[in-house]
Amino acid sequence: MIETRRPAFIDGKPKQLLIDGQHVDALSGKTFQSFSASTGELVADLALAGAEDVDRAVRAARAAFEGPWSRFKPAERQAVLLRLADLVDAEFQDLALLDVIEMGRPITAAMGLRGMLQRSLRHFAGAATAIHGETLSNSFPVDLLSYTLKEPVGVVGAIIPWNGPLFSAAWKIGPVLATGCTIVLKPAEDASLSPLRFAELCLEAGVPPGVVNVVTGAGETGAALSAHPDVDKIAFTGSCETGQRIIAASAGSVKKVTMELGGKSPNIIFADADLDAATPAAAMGVFNNSGQVCAAGTRLFVERPVYEEMVQRIAAFAANLKIGPSLDPETVIGPLVSAKQFARVSSYLDLGPQEGARLVTGGHRVTGGALDQGHWVAPTIFADVTDEMRIAREEIFGPVSCILPFDSLDEVIGRANATRFGLAGGVWTRDIGKAMTAVKRIRAGSIWVNHYFAMDPSVPFGGYKMSGYGREGGAEHIDAYLQTKGVWIRT
Ligand code: NAI
Ligand code: MG
């Protein structure tokens, strides 16, 4: 049984900023409100951080970076991360419930993240003692030893979206702690609670004050952080448009920047594929988290001989997905995060038929009883979609799948790549040659063959093209929080 009591962190008290280990109000005294995506209830009043609060947090992060934290040995940072992993596990239900209540992720899906979160934090703990430079040969005329030192990049500004708040916070804070950086984290205005609580647990785990700071607020707070001259690196996850603004803002002080942006990922089903396996995976490759997933396989290409059969099978699967309140363990399709996101998704539901797509299932809001308090959209399938339709080109970020027919390998690869995005892709076939060709030729950062959505802290994830740069997961994730110093010693 999943316990669905209210987490202790939702206590009716205003949530303050976390700066230098202290809970503080915004200097302006301003606050904003966060409402439950599922029930519409007020979840919390939160401090609205202005530029002056961001500055305070950055100064705390700088002092911590130069202070006691810089003397923590790798094994000590590892011990802190392992304690954090234990604390997060002990409190996992409450942490996950914060996301369930605030941004509406269905409880069974939220609880399913426990293993991944543990693996991630323990992976980052392992990374802390595995950081190393290299000894390099050189051809300088006199004898000189040359080697590299890996050093933490400094103060990191992290800006995260609302679609996976707890996980995103962990994947930003984890590498910071592993490498000896410090962080000012700006959660999304629709999902601040689990990142705030996660940061408190960092303090409980023995992270010194000032190493992990959280400033809550909306875009303006993020803008102040991304323009702050004393932030060394920005790690961003979110929309492409906001990413571009952050890159521009970061130019003033030439910050290091990693960008984890959106996608319109192709998922390609060949006629020879295991269609029984492909059907649920193709559906959940879009409908998971109500489609609010950056790597969603929203352009579903199906080879012509099995096209209509697969349209019907996926539609039947989609129509059977249980739509319900986030706290109901049976629920698979929860609400969209906000009225704003609903308005955006609705505009595409209207657009599909206008552009000539065939609506096979869904296409509408779901209301009635508890569902009147939030914004549910029925899993939606548009068939006979063509490449130039906006529903096939733009990131919708809702439970909307576009199914497109194709006739050949070359054709489908060309069309799969005809997008400004390049985050992920899927291929379904029993032919290893076809699979390997697709793996090689699809221009995207993750490719899944006869599967969709696997992620692991050891495996890099990130974008080609306008889906961003830098990788999270794998060695590159840690490396993005380090810089390299070349050292020469006369011998
Ligand atoms: P967003 O990209 O604007 O928000 C992400 C984060 O950036 C939030 O913390 C937000 O407060 C912050 N932010 C906003 N403006 C900023 C600025 N000028 N400078 C610095 N930080 C700023 O995304 P939003 O508005 O929540 O959603 C709009 C659309 O973006 C969605 O419908 C979806 O298509 C896309 N999106 C994609 C995500 C992905 O992972 N691919 C995640 C979230 C949104
Ligand atoms: Mg909300």
Side-chain angles (χ1 to χ4, degrees):
M1 257 311 274
I2 294 168
E3 219 183 318
T4 53
R5 69 189 163 78
R6 192 155 268 256
F9 195 60
I10 299 180
D11 55 6
K13 294 191 197 129
K15 294 297 163 198
Q16 295 172 293
L17 312 175
L18 188 62
I19 298 178
D20 207 13
Q22 305 293 317
H23 293 97
V24 294
D25 290 328
L27 288 170
S28 68
K30 286 188 185 161
T31 60
F32 67 103
Q33 296 182 314
S34 176
F35 297 92
S36 168
S38 194
T39 66
E41 290 165 291
L42 179 67
V43 176
D45 287 301
L46 294 131
L48 177 60
E52 62 284 3
D53 302 296
V54 168
D55 183 57
R56 225 175 3 157
V58 171
R59 279 192 278 117
R62 176 62 59 192
F65 180 69
E66 283 162 7
W69 183 235
S70 67
R71 291 185 290 279
F72 269 57
K73 297 294 179 195
E76 293 172 304
R77 297 199 305 272
Q78 178 174 66
V80 162
L81 271 157
L82 290 172
R83 274 200 299 277
L84 177 63
D86 287 340
L87 290 172
V88 165
D89 208 42
E91 205 177 304
F92 179 74
Q93 286 210 351
D94 269 19
L95 282 165
L97 271 172
L98 294 176
D99 287 357
V100 173
I101 291 168
E102 199 177 16
M103 55 69 69
R105 186 192 287 279
I107 189 165
T108 299
M111 293 301 163
L113 288 175
R114 183 176 203 150
M116 178 59 165
L117 196 56
Q118 280 302 302
R119 283 196 296 283
S120 299
L121 292 172
R122 290 171 197 282
H123 169 87
F124 298 133
T129 55
I131 294 165
H132 59 88
E134 289 175 309
T135 312
L136 304 152
S137 59
N138 69 72
S139 305
F140 204 78
V142 300
D143 285 346
L144 291 171
L145 167 67
S146 48
Y147 66 94
T148 58
L149 286 174
K150 289 287 187 181
E151 297 179 342
V153 83
V155 175
V156 175
I159 301 169
I160 58 174
W162 40 262
N163 56 325
L166 177 58
F167 183 75
S168 297
W171 272 40
K172 297 292 189 262
I173 292 174
V176 159
L177 300 181
T179 55
C181 291
T182 60
I183 187 170
V184 177
L185 176 70
K186 210 296 283 175
E189 54 274 33
D190 286 315
S192 309
L193 292 189
S194 67
L196 267 173
R197 182 61 194 143
F198 188 92
E200 288 186 354
L201 291 176
C202 292
L203 288 167
E204 283 177 36
V207 175
V211 173
V212 176
N213 308 277
V214 183
V215 289
T216 45
E220 279 178 33
T221 310
L225 183 58
S226 52
H228 195 291
D230 204 31
V231 170
D232 297 296
K233 168 190 163 67
I234 292 283
F236 175 68
T237 303
S239 67
C240 197
E241 292 68 26
T242 297
Q244 288 173 303
R245 272 185 220 114
I246 290 172
I247 293 167
S250 73
S253 54
V254 193
K255 298 185 200 330
K256 290 162 182 61
V257 177
T258 46
M259 288 278 141
E260 171 66 61
L261 307 177
K264 192 77 186 176
S265 297
N267 191 6
I268 303 171
I269 303 176
F270 287 93
D272 71 347
D274 177 348
L275 301 182
D276 291 337
T279 299
M284 293 318 292
V286 179
F287 302 133
N288 178 32
N289 211 27
S290 280
Q292 303 168 124
V293 179
C294 52
T298 47
R299 284 187 301 146
L300 189 58
F301 290 96
V302 180
E303 203 169 11
R304 186 108 38 200
V306 296
Y307 182 75
E308 195 53 39
E309 177 192 348
M310 284 304 280
V311 165
Q312 297 307 327
R313 285 173 74 156
I314 295 165
F317 185 91
N320 272 324
L321 293 172
K322 179 84 170 53
I323 300 170
S326 307
L327 281 166
D328 181 345
E330 302 282 305
T331 294
V332 177
I333 303 295
L336 297 179
V337 68
S338 62
K340 178 182 150 201
Q341 192 61 18
F342 174 68
R344 182 190 165 96
V345 172
S346 291
S347 73
Y348 288 101
L349 298 181
D350 294 340
L351 183 62
Q354 286 165 23
E355 290 188 300
R358 166 165 56 112
L359 177 65
V360 186
T361 186
H364 56 83
R365 184 175 181 175
V366 184
T367 52
L371 305 194
D372 288 340
Q373 310 311 317
H375 301 90
W376 276 259
V377 169
T380 298
I381 289 176
F382 286 122
D384 305 339
V385 174
T386 56
D387 298 349
E388 66 285 354
M389 292 181 188
R390 280 181 52 208
I391 55 168
R393 289 188 286 121
E394 297 172 13
E395 185 174 51
I396 298 174
F397 230 61
V400 183
S401 177
C402 293
I403 314 192
L404 308 90
F406 73 91
D407 294 295
S408 78
L409 176 68
D410 277 345
E411 173 213 324
V412 76
I413 301 282
R415 292 170 61 197
N417 286 335
T419 167
R420 64 185 183 133
F421 296 116
L423 192 56
V427 185
W428 297 80
T429 177
R430 287 189 167 99
D431 179 336
I432 185 76
K434 242 187 245 174
M436 296 307 280
T437 301
V439 164
K440 208 160 131 183
R441 288 178 52 198
I442 295 174
R443 295 191 60 214
S446 294
I447 309 283
W448 294 290
V449 177
N450 295 332
H451 183 84
Y452 207 85
F453 268 155
M455 278 185 81
D456 188 274
S458 300
V459 181
F461 176 86
Y464 281 33
K465 300 194 273 183
M466 287 181 76
S467 291
Y469 39 72
R471 293 291 177 270
E472 294 193 320
E476 286 168 80
H477 194 175
I478 303 299
D479 217 45
Y481 291 77
L482 295 168
Q483 51 194 347
T484 307
K485 182 178 279 174
V487 184
W488 298 82
I489 299 183
R490 181 89 191 242
T491 57

